[in-house]
Amino acid sequence: MADDELIRLAGHHRVATRYTDWRGRAADVPPGTLVAVLGALGVDASSPAAVRAELERHQERARTLPPTLVVRSDPGEGRTADRILAKVRRTLRPAGDLDVRIEPGEPDVLAEPSAEQARPVPLDGSEGDVTLGWHRLHVRQGSREESAALLVAPASLPRPPRMWGLTVQLYALRSRGSWGLGDLHDLADLATWAGRDLGAGFVVANPLHAAEPMPPVSPSPYSPMSRRFPAPLYLRIEDMPEYAALPPEGRERFAAMAARLRTLEGPLDRDAVWTAKLEALEAMYRSSPGIRHDPAFAAFRRRHGAALRDFTTWCAISEEQGTTDWRRWPSALQDAHGHAVLDEPRRGARAEFHAWLQWRLDQQLAGAQKAARDAGMPAGIVHDLAVGVAQGSADAWIYRDELASGMSVGAPPDEFNQRGQDWGQPPWRPTTLAADAYVPYREMLAAALRHGGGLRLDHAMQVSRLWWIPEGASPADGTYVGYDRDAMLGCLVWEAHRAGALVVGEDLGTVEPEVRDDLADRGVLGTSLLWFERDAEGRPKPAAQWRDLSLATVGTHDMPPITGFLHGDHIALRDRLGLLTRPLGEETADHREQLAAWLGLLHAEGLLPDPPDDVLRALADGSDAYDRQVVAALHAFLGRTPARLIGVSLADAVGERRTQNQPGTVDEYPNWRVPLADAQGRPVVLDDLVRDAEVRAVLERVSRESS
């Protein structure tokens, strides 16, 4: 156990020395973990003397203005200016008077403030209140002057209307027009069908973040190369204006390539798809030299500025070096802002090609959201924001100083992942992020919300704390590191407010109770997962007792679809892979007990006409006689909850049995490579899905129950 001074130092830097595990038991963090985590935060705890020196430095900084201050604007609680002053006084605890001034800042995270906006405003009540948005705060106390970035954020987002929608792993949803993987044209078609024909209000898609610019392409959408930019893998080639400019023989050749990709069987092959698309895209770019002078392209590049330049330069260097992992590049190229990175003309030309891909992606993303809204969806496309990026990624190169080296984000052991999880992603350094006025975080949020009606925040605890794992340690030997939740939520709510979008936080697993309260207070919806919704005695929670400010679903991408869950496929899989920490018999008995309880509740609600014992016997015999009935009943049950949003997984609707991702595995299971299929494993394509009577019956029942 750590000594008192190390515990005090860790507390000053929001590093947990003890936490409550998923079984409700207190667990102490090993001293070695504390020393390593503090070191990654720039705090020397390597010896008792170093710890004492750091404690003294903390005392010296205790009464200084933080680099970023966030204040909520709430007309019902008085003037925002008064609240700013009160917060400054609480922070500085001044002995005398303070002179506090505001310089209004940028209304848009990517824009520069105008000269008019930069006029200082004193906080003495003489010039009205402080408006929403970013400003610069100046505080003078005697001869000492400090300044800080200031965000005045909305008190809360408005509550969205009650509606239902689909959740989809877009890459797995293929059509007869896509190139072996689902794309943005498919997303637009899915939204059009669900909104126009079925009355759905939204579609939640997996993260569309950028992947590697050349094979091999990582299959996981939750371990991307960048969260700031999307993946060209999702482009529909034929929808790009340059495709029509190709000579006929070129179009014929690429049409034949696409046809071959549509016939691929087995796991999804991103490498084959991206190799073919990249060849087509390069040919299209060469055949349309006028693109480089297009005013709209120039405007796009100006809008995204340095972030686009840095990302596309990383793409060009990755191709040049034959690896995307910048840690393996020559040392002169490892500094994203060094002269060696920018001085190569050929690299600039290749970066321009990648910027063109981003421009066309921006247009197709806009098209998908327009299709959703035109189909009557109140929200439309809800984009998923991953919790982090891969260690050797573009973002890790660009934001090297803002990320904690030697650390990885993950999760402690829990009910479904009893060995814990290490996601291989470097976390933000809280102090550096605050010193940068959260600009990298803000730009990421703004980009994700640019063409969508909502944002799903994967692992919502990222706004409050993350589980940091020192390099080489097991997930169980990590600890929580806290962030300025008020600031992180303020940035999130402000960007969503500007976009007119809703926000859903995936608040599953071991979550601090106050985080859920804060999310709800800010108008951010939580996630209610049916299999986890139980009362204090562990029984399934009746529909009326569910919370209203949430997205209610049956499962998630890390769990088996309903049909697979009913038959215990996930237990057999984890047993085969050696992931169980209890005997197989105990796992199976516990699963049957939980399933019996849920079937009993569905029967009592009148949603499942047959007795639960009959259903359980059929499942034990391997029969699928009741599968469709249970799938429909579970979704009808969701419709009876007060949840604002009801989510139906497309995999559940078609009867898919295979999970998309099995945590704790890498190559042992085809994670993120499972194409959409029915219960018999037959591929399901979008063109046939919209005519499937059984799928329509499930979705129409959800629509009726949730109206």
Side-chain angles (χ1 to χ4, degrees):
M1 184 173 176
D3 62 39
D4 290 344
E5 287 187 328
L6 180 58
I7 288 173
R8 281 173 52 211
L9 183 62
H12 290 322
H13 293 277
R14 297 193 179 101
V15 178
T17 59
R18 171 178 277 207
Y19 66 96
T20 303
D21 69 14
W22 66 280
R23 287 191 171 99
R25 301 178 304 199
D28 290 318
V29 176
T33 296
L34 299 179
V35 171
V37 168
L38 285 167
L41 290 168
V43 180
D44 184 3
S46 59
S47 69
V51 169
R52 285 191 291 274
E54 290 286 2
L55 286 171
E56 290 174 6
R57 277 191 283 273
H58 176 78
Q59 286 299 111
E60 293 171 1
R61 295 190 298 263
R63 292 194 180 187
T64 59
L65 204 61
T68 300
L69 207 66
V70 175
V71 176
R72 295 171 66 180
S73 176
D74 189 344
E77 296 189 15
R79 297 174 69 246
T80 302
D82 296 333
R83 302 179 75 180
I84 295 171
L85 281 170
K87 190 160 189 174
V88 169
R89 288 188 176 280
R90 283 196 305 272
T91 302
L92 299 180
R93 290 173 285 173
D97 293 336
L98 293 177
D99 175 24
V100 183
R101 294 175 298 114
I102 297 288
E103 289 180 2
E106 70 270 26
D108 187 302
V109 72
L110 302 178
E112 293 296 325
S114 67
E116 175 63 24
Q117 289 170 320
R119 187 170 59 88
V121 177
L123 292 191
D124 58 6
S126 62
E127 297 196 39
D129 208 355
V130 183
T131 58
L132 293 174
W134 283 92
H135 310 278
R136 172 59 56 175
L137 175 71
H138 296 275
V139 179
R140 180 183 291 277
Q141 184 179 7
S143 61
R144 177 180 169 188
E145 182 166 347
E146 299 179 76
S147 70
L150 170 68
L151 171 61
V152 178
S156 178
L157 295 172
R159 296 191 171 214
R162 181 169 160 84
M163 53 184 159
W164 75 276
L166 294 171
T167 67
V168 61
Q169 299 294 311
L170 178 59
Y171 56 84
L173 176 64
R174 299 174 294 180
S175 69
R176 293 192 176 90
S178 52
W179 290 35
L181 292 173
D183 59 30
L184 290 171
H185 189 112
D186 296 325
L187 181 60
D189 285 349
L190 178 68
T192 297
W193 169 66
R196 183 191 60 207
D197 293 3
L198 300 171
F202 61 89
V203 174
V204 180
N206 61 275
L208 304 181
H209 303 321
E212 292 83 350
M214 76 282 192
V217 178
S218 172
S220 174
Y222 290 93
S223 187
M225 295 293 104
S226 175
R227 294 187 290 172
R228 175 66 176 78
F229 294 98
L233 187 68
Y234 291 105
L235 283 167
R236 172 63 68 91
I237 300 295
E238 293 84 352
D239 288 354
M240 298 172 69
E242 293 82 5
Y243 189 78
L246 286 172
E249 59 272 19
R251 292 197 301 273
E252 290 175 8
R253 182 163 66 90
F254 293 128
M257 288 169 53
R260 287 193 295 273
L261 290 169
R262 294 182 192 116
T263 63
L264 290 179
E265 297 182 357
L268 299 171
D269 190 342
R270 285 171 175 79
D271 289 350
V273 172
W274 181 233
T275 297
K277 283 192 173 184
L278 187 59
E279 183 179 341
L281 290 165
E282 288 173 336
M284 291 156 60
Y285 187 69
R286 287 193 303 269
S287 69
S288 303
I291 292 169
R292 298 161 181 76
H293 309 293
D294 191 312
F297 184 28
F300 174 79
R301 294 172 71 183
R302 283 194 302 272
R303 175 181 176 84
H304 293 276
L308 179 64
R309 181 203 65 208
D310 291 344
F311 172 71
T312 57
T313 299
W314 172 85
C315 291
I317 297 176
S318 294
E319 293 174 320
E320 172 189 303
Q321 295 296 319
T323 176
T324 60
D325 191 341
W326 59 270
R327 297 168 299 179
R328 296 168 57 190
W329 297 349
S331 58
L333 297 177
Q334 293 183 14
D335 180 358
H337 310 295
H339 292 296
V341 166
L342 303 174
D343 287 348
E344 172 56 60
R346 287 177 300 176
R347 188 179 297 147
R350 188 61 178 178
E352 188 175 62
F353 165 74
H354 287 286
W356 168 69
L357 297 181
Q358 290 299 318
W359 180 41
R360 291 307 187 203
L361 268 168
D362 190 70
Q363 294 170 333
Q364 291 197 10
L365 283 163
Q369 175 64 358
K370 183 178 185 301
R373 299 303 292 269
D374 288 349
M377 287 188 166
I381 309 302
V382 176
H383 290 286
D384 200 345
L385 183 69
V387 71
V389 293
Q391 291 280 6
S393 64
D395 283 2
W397 180 66
I398 296 166
Y399 304 120
R400 183 176 178 180
D401 293 338
E402 285 85 358
L403 296 169
S405 63
M407 292 289 140
S408 179
V409 173
D414 62 25
E415 181 177 3
F416 275 83
N417 304 286
Q418 294 168 15
R419 299 182 188 277
Q421 300 178 61
D422 184 340
W423 302 328
Q425 300 172 340
W428 294 118
R429 293 178 64 187
T431 50
T432 311
L433 203 56
D436 291 342
Y438 294 89
V439 167
Y441 177 63
R442 292 157 53 195
E443 286 188 347
M444 180 183 68
L445 294 172
L449 288 163
R450 179 166 159 78
H451 296 305
L455 185 68
R456 176 189 177 272
L457 201 64
D458 188 52
H459 195 68
M461 288 77 81
Q462 63 177 282
V463 301
S464 179
R465 67 178 186 180
L466 287 173
W467 185 257
W468 287 28
I469 306 165
E471 187 175 7
S474 75
D477 289 329
T479 190
Y480 287 110
V481 175
Y483 292 77
D484 186 337
R485 186 163 70 236
D486 200 43
M488 299 286 279
L489 277 175
C491 293
L492 177 63
V493 169
W494 167 240
E495 294 300 334
H497 167 82
R498 290 202 302 121
L502 61 87
V503 179
V504 177
E506 186 213 27
D507 54 347
L508 304 172
T510 306
V511 184
E512 307 149 286
E514 61 270 22
V515 172
R516 289 195 173 102
D517 293 339
D518 277 358
L519 291 173
D521 187 45
R522 299 296 186 93
V524 177
L525 284 73
T527 298
S528 296
L529 196 64
L530 184 137
W531 302 125
F532 293 166
E533 287 293 320
R534 302 170 190 149
D535 62 19
E537 283 72 42
R539 298 169 301 199
K541 190 180 290 185
Q545 295 179 19
W546 287 40
R547 54 181 169 166
D548 70 322
L549 201 63
S550 72
L551 164 65
T553 65
V554 175
T556 183
H557 53 257
D558 287 335
M559 296 178 63
I562 294 173
T563 305
F565 187 85
L566 293 178
H567 291 274
D569 293 354
H570 58 301
I571 298 175
L573 175 63
R574 288 158 64 207
D575 180 53
R576 188 172 75 249
L577 297 174
L579 297 175
L580 295 180
T581 58
R582 294 192 299 175
L584 176 61
E586 288 185 25
E587 289 282 346
T588 302
D590 185 54
H591 171 68
R592 285 183 60 82
E593 183 179 344
Q594 291 183 44
L595 192 55
W598 274 107
L599 295 174
L601 181 58
L602 294 176
H603 186 64
E605 292 259 357
L607 297 172
L608 188 66
D610 293 282
D613 287 347
D614 291 354
V615 179
L616 288 169
R617 275 194 296 271
L619 291 171
D621 292 338
S623 170
D624 62 1
Y626 293 98
D627 290 2
R628 283 284 183 177
Q629 189 181 127
V630 175
V631 169
L634 287 168
H635 285 111
F637 177 86
L638 291 181
R640 293 187 179 183
T641 71
R644 292 275 167 166
L645 306 183
I646 307 297
V648 181
S649 165
L650 204 56
D652 286 337
V654 303
E656 173 70 83
R657 289 184 64 154
R658 300 164 298 176
T659 184
Q660 273 296 324
N661 178 51
Q662 176 54 59
T665 64
V666 180
D667 296 322
E668 304 94 321
Y669 183 81
N671 294 319
W672 314 113
R673 289 174 287 161
V674 179
L676 190 68
D678 63 17
Q680 285 72 46
R682 295 179 298 236
V684 174
V685 294
L686 179 59
D687 316 66
D688 297 334
L689 173 68
V690 300
R691 294 188 292 271
D692 190 309
E694 289 187 334
V695 170
R696 178 180 285 269
V698 170
L699 299 181
E700 286 179 342
R701 187 172 182 185
V702 174
S703 184
R704 288 194 303 272
E705 291 284 353
S706 57
S707 62

